[in-house]
Amino acid sequence: MRLSEAVEGYLTHLAEVRRLSPATVRAYRSDLTDLVGAVGDGAIESLSVDDLREWQWRATKAGQSKATSARRTSSVRGLFSWAVEEEIIALDPSQRLVTPKRGRTLPTVATAEALDGVLEAARVRAADGDPLALRDHAVLEVLYGSGARVSEICGLDLDDMDHERRTLRVRGKGDKERVVPFGLPAEQALQAYLVRGRPVLLTRASAAAADASEPAVSRGRVVERAPRAVFLGAKGGRLGPRAVHALVSATVAPSVGAEVLGPHALRHSAATHLLDGGADLRSVQEILGHASLGTTQIYTHVSAERLREAYRLAHPRA
């Protein structure tokens, strides 16, 4: 079997059997397509560990980070492990690959005071009733208030919200469902958006649909008509992660001195502030939807760093 054919079979396995998220499958596709381009589309059984090491070495020489190298190694190992299970090959050359150790990088976290300022500014912008400003305020409040991933927030439908209990039902990695709480400020922002902002955006979507016999297209992609989606874009389709990234980068990044900042920074901040406020690690793990407690433990290091910095600045014997 040619390498490219094996790659397609493996990607199908990831999507349909293991039910990995589309974003994860795209990352695997990118890594493995690069492998095919580097070593050629010959028979998969002809590949040796030396071929794989050469592929790694070229990427490292080109400036690839240790984290990216580790991910690419994981992608290749997954491919060959699957090929052995499917009896496409007899031996797995990737077992002898060395995974580079990743350096521990603490996530970017905004202080609670900085986020208070950001969210208050968003509330003031929304006060005049502009539908996009109302939506942006609600998005920021829900991201920070729930600690959910941006894909989970963008995927919310109206019946995923329980306003009485102030909870959201979100679908995370591997299509796993969980329920996360959110606070009163997020509920107030949501209600303002749902009553005064979302109907206007939905009307725009209906008008656009009436004007076009075919689905609307934006930047080469079909805009999803989403009457049940909570958060809508300017044209009435479901709000996408890229738009949320731009919103967070424009509003939150200046508060932490960054030029660019993604929505995950609000998730990092929510987790750190929960721990700072006394939440136990297991509860934070459940809220974030981490499969492993070890993933959540990174936030204990963030809190410890903040304590050390406070000590250094305040203690006369520091």
Side-chain angles (χ1 to χ4, degrees):
M1 178 181 286
R2 289 184 9 234
L3 179 57
S4 61
E5 294 172 335
V7 167
E8 289 302 320
Y10 177 54
L11 294 174
T12 300
H13 169 78
L14 293 179
E16 298 181 0
V17 179
R18 293 184 56 189
R19 298 183 63 81
L20 299 186
S21 72
T24 302
V25 175
R26 282 196 299 272
Y28 275 93
R29 179 180 293 279
S30 174
D31 294 339
L32 297 175
T33 299
D34 185 74
L35 174 66
V36 174
V39 304
D41 193 18
I44 185 174
E45 58 267 24
S46 68
L47 277 179
S48 68
V49 68
D50 289 334
D51 295 323
L52 301 179
R53 285 171 177 163
E54 175 72 12
W55 174 61
Q56 282 183 318
W57 177 81
R58 287 180 184 174
T60 301
K61 190 176 179 181
Q64 175 184 270
S65 70
K66 289 184 178 179
T68 301
S69 181
R71 189 201 69 210
R72 283 158 55 101
T73 301
S74 176
S75 298
V76 170
R77 282 180 172 168
L79 168 66
F80 282 95
S81 176
W82 169 82
V84 169
E85 289 178 5
E86 295 294 312
E87 299 183 351
I88 297 170
I89 58 176
L91 298 175
D92 180 356
S94 69
Q95 288 184 342
R96 294 168 59 194
L97 279 179
V98 176
T99 303
K101 293 183 178 179
R102 304 187 192 196
R104 181 178 287 274
T105 303
L106 296 181
T108 300
V109 172
T111 65
E113 293 75 17
L115 286 178
D116 281 344
V118 169
L119 295 170
E120 176 60 19
R123 186 193 66 78
V124 170
R125 287 194 297 273
D128 64 359
D130 177 76
L132 294 180
L134 286 163
R135 181 206 64 195
D136 290 349
H137 181 215
V139 167
L140 291 171
E141 287 281 9
V142 172
L143 273 172
Y144 176 51
S146 69
R149 300 176 179 92
V150 62
S151 59
E152 296 168 345
I153 295 301
C154 291
L156 282 174
D157 288 336
L158 293 175
D159 54 6
D160 292 327
M161 298 184 296
D162 186 329
H163 294 282
E164 184 177 345
R165 294 183 174 85
R166 291 210 296 267
T167 59
L168 304 172
R169 185 175 69 248
V170 299
R171 279 161 289 279
K173 292 184 177 180
D175 209 27
K176 293 179 181 177
E177 232 180 53
R178 72 183 190 284
V179 174
V180 297
F182 60 91
L184 181 59
E187 169 65 11
Q188 292 170 337
L190 268 174
Q191 289 292 354
Y193 161 68
L194 292 172
V195 173
R196 298 160 56 204
R198 187 178 180 279
V200 177
L201 298 178
L202 197 59
T203 300
R204 293 179 184 176
S206 300
D211 291 341
S213 58
E214 297 180 356
V217 175
S218 176
R219 294 184 181 180
R221 64 180 179 85
V222 175
V223 176
E224 178 190 356
R225 298 301 175 198
R228 301 300 299 168
V230 174
F231 294 114
L232 303 178
K235 295 183 179 180
R238 185 182 294 274
L239 185 66
R242 185 176 299 179
V244 180
H245 193 291
L247 168 64
V248 173
S249 193
T251 57
V252 184
S255 70
V256 296
E259 292 186 10
V260 178
L261 196 69
H264 228 61
L266 289 177
R267 177 171 162 88
H268 293 323
S269 300
T272 304
H273 298 163
L274 280 167
L275 289 171
D276 286 345
D280 66 273
L281 202 59
R282 286 287 183 187
S283 297
V284 177
Q285 178 191 7
E286 289 293 323
I287 291 171
L288 298 182
H290 287 158
S292 166
L293 188 63
T295 306
T296 316
Q297 284 176 328
I298 183 65
Y299 299 109
T300 64
H301 294 281
V302 176
S303 295
E305 286 295 324
R306 289 158 67 98
L307 286 174
R308 278 194 287 271
E309 180 63 12
Y311 175 86
R312 187 186 68 78
L313 293 174
H315 199 288
R317 307 287 287 184

